[in-house]
């Protein structure tokens, strides 16, 4: 069964460093998403991506964040200069269509900023 | 704005007990409603969904009914198993525009044999 994969499973970085979190969505899906979950808090929407551009982003998704689909399979989230408060679990998801279709989630990348 | 509130966890039950996890929402219009489950070490998996009022979603013995009058989508199962131990998330997809999901805080469920 096709699934969303994410790498790495755990990333440790120093404050101020750049990190890139990688995702491989399900191959025939058209919509891609990033969410994050700070420990003990809700899963929060960051950004959605369709047709090679951002379709919606949340207030959390400021200039420090960017997303890219560099080739036909990968979908990346870059954080330019990490802060302590960026420590969280980051989930990638993909969907074949719009709102009423299921979003398929990856296992997450745990980012720890020291 | 749109929001989802779930009952506080953790919840601990014995095998074969009846389960209810409460979920209420605030939204403009008529959102779609979802329950996702996260097993240890895995990603979020869709458990069930309902797209309009009075719809009942069901899967693996779990059920939830979209109640517009009470803005609720409570998750129920008649007889839980140890394998149901996981974190359960209630979520909504707002009707306007975007495809984002708005999640509740999650409820950790532990089933003891």
């Amino acid at each position: 069964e096709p699934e969303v994969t994410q790498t790495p499973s755990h990333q440790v970085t120093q404050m101020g460093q750049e990190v890139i979190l990688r995702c491989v969505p399900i191959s025939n899906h058209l919509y891609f998403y990033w969410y994050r979950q700070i420990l003990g808090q809700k899963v929060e929407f960051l950004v959605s991506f369709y047709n090679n551009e951002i379709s919606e982003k949340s207030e959390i998704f400021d200039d420090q964040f960017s997303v890219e689909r560099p080739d036909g399979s990968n979908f990346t989230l870059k954080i330019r200069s990490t802060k302590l408060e960026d420590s969280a679990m980051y989930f990638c998801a993909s969907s074949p269509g719009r709102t009423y279709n299921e979003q398929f989630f990856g296992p997450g990348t745990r980012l720890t900023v020291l | 704005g749109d929001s989802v509130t779930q009952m506080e966890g953790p919840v601990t039950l014995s095998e074969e007990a009846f389960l209810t996890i409460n979920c209420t929402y605030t939204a403009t219009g008529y959102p779609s409603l979802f329950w996702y489950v996260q097993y240890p070490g895995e990603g979020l998996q869709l458990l069930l969904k309902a797209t309009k009022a009075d719809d009942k979603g069901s899967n693996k013995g779990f059920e939830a009914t979209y109640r517009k009058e009470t803005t609720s989508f409570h998750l129920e199962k008649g007889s839980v198993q140890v394998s149901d131990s996981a974190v359960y998330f209630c979520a909504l997809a707002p009707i306007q525009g975007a495809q984002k999901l708005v999640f509740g805080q999650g409820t950790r469920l532990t089933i003891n044999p």
Side-chain angles (χ1 to χ4, degrees), chain B residues 16-17 36 39-41 51 56 62 67 78 81 88-89 92 100:
Chain B
E16 299 183 3
Y36 277 81
Y39 299 104
T51 57
K56 178 187 283 190
F62 291 89
R67 300 280 187 207
Q81 306 300 314
Y88 292 81
F89 294 90
L92 67 81
K100 68 179 182 185

Side-chain angles (χ1 to χ4, degrees), chain A residues 25-79:
Chain A
I26 295 172
S27 63
N28 62 345
H29 285 188
L30 301 177
Y31 290 82
F32 314 111
Y33 315 84
W34 285 100
Y35 294 82
R36 79 170 187 192
Q37 184 181 30
I38 295 171
L39 187 65
Q41 298 186 24
K42 295 185 178 187
V43 176
E44 301 172 290
F45 168 77
L46 292 178
V47 64
S48 58
F49 192 86
Y50 169 70
N51 199 26
N52 279 322
E53 60 184 25
I54 291 173
S55 51
E56 187 183 3
K57 59 184 181 180
S58 71
E59 299 152 357
I60 304 166
F61 194 88
D62 62 21
D63 292 344
Q64 296 283 35
F65 291 89
S66 62
V67 289
E68 193 177 30
R69 189 154 161 82
D71 52 43
S73 59
N74 290 284
F75 179 52
T76 62
L77 174 69
K78 182 192 291 186
I79 309 174

